[in-house]
Amino acid sequence: MAIMKADKLGVSVAKAPSMMTGAVPKNDWWDVPANFKPGNYAYPAKQEIVEYHKFPNPRLWDPESDDWKLPENWKEIILQGLKERLDKFRSLKIFMDCCVRCGACADKCHFFLGTGDPKNMPVLRAELLRSVYRNDFTLAGKLLGKMAGGREMTFGVLKEWFMYFYQCTECRRCSVFCPYGIDTAEITMMGRELLHLVGVNINWILEPAANSNRTGNHMGLQPHTFKDNIEYLCDDIEEITGIRCNPTFNRKGAEVLFITPSADVFAEPGIYTAMGYLLLFEHIGLDYTFSTYASEGGNFGLFTNNEMMKKLNAKMYAEAKRLGVKWILGGECGHMWRVLHQYMDTMNGPADFLQVPKSPITGTVFENAASTKMVHISEFTADLIKHGKLKLDPKRNDHRIATYHDSCNPARAMGLLEEPRYVLKNVVNNFHEMPENTIRESTFCCGSGTGLNTDEIMELRMRAGLPRANAVKHVRDKHAVNMLSCVCAIDRATLTSLNNYWNPDVEVCGVSELVGNALVMEGEKERETGLRFEPLAGREC
Ligand code: SF4
Ligand code: SF4
């Protein structure tokens, strides 16, 4: 969908009323209905995809209509689902009970900053579910109803849930500022789970999840295509460096299984990140294999429900077991690492059939991965650099003036803050941080995570990404930054769209691409270009 020009949208974000309601609301929040119109919602999941997952209520339906073709007893289904989740997840009950409405989270959400819609304040987003919880599951709510902040589950409430639980990227920025540590992302996850129970969901999540289930990756690509694509990347590497990388696939007995998001193998600019991995592994002679079945690190189950998340995560470990590797090395992904660090152990772990990861090059034992047996490529690379195992020429990145976007999941869900920076500072000569309140734990989301990277909501995405884009603009204007690096495949896709819109002269890359550019390979030819065939500094044609 075409959207207005960036300068007009910028003024609209600053001065105009809410995108969703079309006016500054004059009523109590719960008297302002969710109004679906083109551009403010992602398309519902296709009937055949819902059927494939064996999820409830597959059908054709239209969010703009007043008939969502819900099951007759949909309210009972939702309330029963909520009860089960309150019994199962203690965190949910705590999050429902302990908000003191201090408002510290209110202006921390990029969706609120970009849309001006009060229901995008995290406290109010949570209140959409909390009000129903109060009404049906607390004594005060049962006795006093609205006076105690309770409200009945109605079709209007369901519409709000669909709108606002899909205007949250589960980025967890708000939780950093909440004095009680309330994690609105977890509330959104529960909200989405409940919506699934009555067949209310979006295609951009369920179709990649179905593909991943069926073929091992989001794109639905077959094993031979996955292998062929990596070999094409090896051809490009050979053309640029004169070095032939020889990765193996499904090789039993390899020491390490390497898993990365499929976007690194199939889509720009991720493919340049993958070329960086291939060069790195060749450089150090790593004994590793790809799997053409666990050909996806990303886990769209995180955006769907607990069972799906568990199933997609299990595939990686099943492959590690089948191939008999010692441990797993993971590429630059966001939600793969969130699932690994926050949920894997209680869902599928601990992975005791694997060994505690030990770098075969430096001897470092990654005790932090003692349970998951999986090491992040930035940790692995930083360790190699620290031990002087890489021959690097950062001048090869002198055409790049880089900054670093802390991807929400690696930063907030696993605390991966220093390692990518350490790597970057060793492979580029020009590096500048964005403002302090927009990086590290306080990083701003790309605005399109959790399955919202879909074109029909482009204006919403550009609005939600504005706080991040604004920080990029700051370093672009101040330091002439022209490269936004990150360690997440979704970010590489979404930040590219975001920068094309707000900062068209800033490109996006993975940290490993810059590593690949800087690596001096034994026997290589003189490099004329970087990994994306761009001329190096001083080599402009
Ligand atoms: S910061 Fe925490 S306690 Fe305060 S309003 Fe937000 S969720 Fe509630
Ligand atoms: S998790 Fe992120 S997107 Fe969701 S409410 Fe909090 S800040 Fe907003």
Side-chain angles (χ1 to χ4, degrees):
M1 169 174 294
I3 63 172
M4 66 179 94
K5 292 227 171 344
D7 52 347
K8 269 179 114 179
L9 185 58
V11 172
S12 160
V13 169
K15 297 191 174 156
S18 148
M19 177 191 184
M20 299 300 140
T21 58
V24 176
K26 295 187 177 63
N27 301 325
D28 277 350
W29 65 268
W30 53 22
D31 292 328
V32 180
N35 178 15
F36 287 90
K37 49 193 177 186
N40 75 1
Y41 65 91
Y43 296 148
K46 293 173 194 159
Q47 184 168 345
E48 64 270 23
I49 296 291
V50 179
E51 279 164 358
Y52 172 81
H53 284 297
K54 299 191 171 52
F55 277 15
N57 202 16
R59 73 213 180 282
L60 265 178
W61 64 284
D62 175 6
E64 291 179 51
S65 133
D66 271 335
D67 179 9
W68 282 13
K69 302 180 186 168
L70 299 169
E72 234 168 73
N73 61 338
W74 70 266
K75 270 187 223 178
E76 286 77 17
I77 295 173
I78 293 267
L79 292 176
Q80 180 59 27
L82 180 53
K83 180 182 179 316
E84 285 164 13
R85 281 157 185 78
L86 287 165
D87 291 344
K88 190 170 170 192
F89 302 112
R90 224 161 53 123
S91 56
L92 178 62
K93 181 142 188 357
I94 292 169
F95 293 160
M96 290 293 99
D97 283 331
C98 78
C99 174
V100 293
R101 301 192 194 186
C102 67
C105 62
D107 59 350
K108 305 304 185 294
C109 176
H110 49 289
F111 276 98
F112 174 63
L113 296 174
T115 64
D117 188 331
K119 287 183 195 171
N120 272 327
M121 291 190 285
V123 56
L124 211 40
R125 193 185 314 286
E127 202 66 20
L128 301 177
L129 182 59
R130 192 178 283 127
S131 54
V132 173
Y133 161 75
R134 270 202 210 98
N135 196 66
D136 285 75
F137 297 93
T138 68
L139 186 61
K142 281 179 185 161
L143 292 175
L144 301 171
K146 200 171 173 178
M147 277 170 61
R151 65 178 183 161
E152 265 181 54
M153 188 70 216
T154 62
F155 180 51
V157 171
L158 192 80
K159 286 172 101 174
E160 282 181 332
W161 286 13
F162 183 51
M163 178 168 280
Y164 295 103
F165 291 140
Y166 284 95
Q167 285 185 26
C168 166
T169 41
E170 301 176 8
C171 77
R172 306 177 71 235
R173 186 170 195 267
C174 50
S175 71
V176 172
F177 297 89
C178 173
Y180 293 89
I182 293 174
D183 190 345
T184 307
E186 297 267 347
I187 296 172
T188 292
M189 287 161 74
M190 288 299 122
R192 289 187 184 187
E193 281 206 11
L194 294 172
L195 288 168
H196 279 300
L197 299 178
V198 293
V200 176
N201 31 44
I202 70 169
N203 202 61
W204 222 90
I205 293 175
L206 286 196
E207 189 155 348
N211 287 340
S212 220
N213 198 49
R214 201 166 31 218
T215 64
N217 58 70
H218 294 157
M219 323 271 285
L221 292 157
Q222 305 282 335
H224 59 279
T225 315
F226 181 82
K227 179 172 179 286
D228 285 353
N229 246 59
I230 291 178
E231 282 171 355
Y232 292 140
L233 299 180
C234 293
D235 293 344
D236 283 355
I237 289 173
E238 191 170 7
E239 197 177 331
I240 295 164
T241 67
I243 299 293
R244 183 77 202 176
C245 298
N246 292 298
T248 58
F249 299 86
N250 305 324
R251 179 164 59 88
K252 291 192 173 176
E255 181 163 2
V256 173
L257 169 62
F258 179 63
I259 300 181
T260 198
S262 62
D264 282 355
V265 177
F266 295 110
E268 287 188 35
I271 51 172
Y272 310 119
T273 309
M275 289 161 77
Y277 306 145
L278 289 161
L279 275 167
L280 177 71
F281 302 154
E282 189 68 26
H283 189 86
I284 59 174
L286 186 68
D287 175 14
Y288 77 104
T289 185
F290 283 97
S291 160
T292 58
Y293 303 102
S295 49
E296 178 64 71
N299 187 330
F300 270 43
L302 178 68
F303 317 145
T304 309
N305 63 30
N306 277 275
E307 284 75 31
M308 181 78 72
M309 176 173 25
K310 179 174 177 175
K311 188 174 171 183
L312 296 180
N313 171 264
K315 171 189 66 180
M316 303 197 302
Y317 285 89
E319 268 301 83
K321 195 172 212 170
R322 185 180 75 87
L323 297 173
V325 299
K326 291 184 181 164
W327 53 279
I328 306 173
L329 181 60
E332 296 185 10
C333 184
H335 45 302
M336 168 169 80
W337 286 104
R338 166 101 161 262
V339 174
L340 245 293
H341 271 252
Q342 293 199 300
Y343 308 111
M344 148 70 192
D345 259 353
T346 49
M347 287 186 320
N348 294 321
D352 286 338
F353 61 93
L354 294 172
Q355 297 180 14
V356 176
K358 179 176 176 182
S359 170
I361 315 301
T362 66
T364 297
V365 177
F366 293 92
E367 293 290 355
N368 58 319
S371 177
T372 62
K373 315 291 195 296
M374 188 154 171
V375 174
H376 192 286
I377 188 75
S378 291
E379 296 171 314
F380 184 69
T381 310
D383 176 64
L384 290 166
I385 295 173
K386 179 110 179 136
H387 286 86
K389 300 294 183 189
L390 302 185
K391 196 168 174 200
L392 296 166
D393 179 4
K395 283 202 297 300
R396 287 177 179 173
N397 282 314
D398 277 357
H399 57 310
R400 304 300 192 195
I401 303 172
T403 189
Y404 179 66
H405 161 72
D406 291 271
S407 304
C408 299
N409 288 315
R412 279 191 281 265
M414 66 180 293
L416 191 86
L417 304 172
E418 300 307 331
E419 293 87 341
R421 287 181 166 80
Y422 180 77
V423 173
L424 278 168
K425 286 171 188 169
N426 279 280
V427 300
V428 299
N429 286 320
N430 308 303
F431 175 76
H432 301 278
E433 292 279 17
M434 288 184 276
E436 199 56 38
N437 63 333
T438 73
I439 58 171
R440 298 176 185 271
E441 291 93 342
S442 302
T443 186
F444 268 115
C445 176
C446 64
S448 307
T450 61
L452 302 186
N453 182 20
T454 176
D455 286 358
E456 65 265 25
I457 50 169
M458 192 57 90
E459 181 180 329
L460 180 63
R461 290 170 49 196
M462 295 303 105
R463 284 171 174 267
L466 180 55
R468 169 44 75 222
N470 213 22
V472 175
K473 182 177 182 304
H474 178 79
V475 283
R476 183 200 69 177
D477 294 349
K478 196 167 172 195
H479 303 292
V481 159
N482 60 13
M483 183 54 88
L484 177 60
S485 62
C486 62
V487 289
C488 169
I490 286 187
D491 280 340
R492 281 190 278 282
T494 58
L495 292 172
T496 297
S497 308
L498 192 73
N499 277 346
N500 284 344
Y501 187 74
W502 292 111
N503 300 304
D505 39 1
V506 181
E507 293 182 79
V508 179
C509 73
V511 170
S512 294
E513 176 185 339
L514 299 173
V515 173
N517 272 345
L519 276 174
V520 180
M521 308 292 289
E522 199 180 324
E524 71 175 14
K525 68 178 190 187
E526 194 178 342
R527 292 202 205 176
E528 305 279 329
T529 72
L531 293 181
R532 45 182 89 183
F533 289 97
E534 81 285 12
L536 300 179
R539 297 223 172 239
E540 284 80 3
C541 312

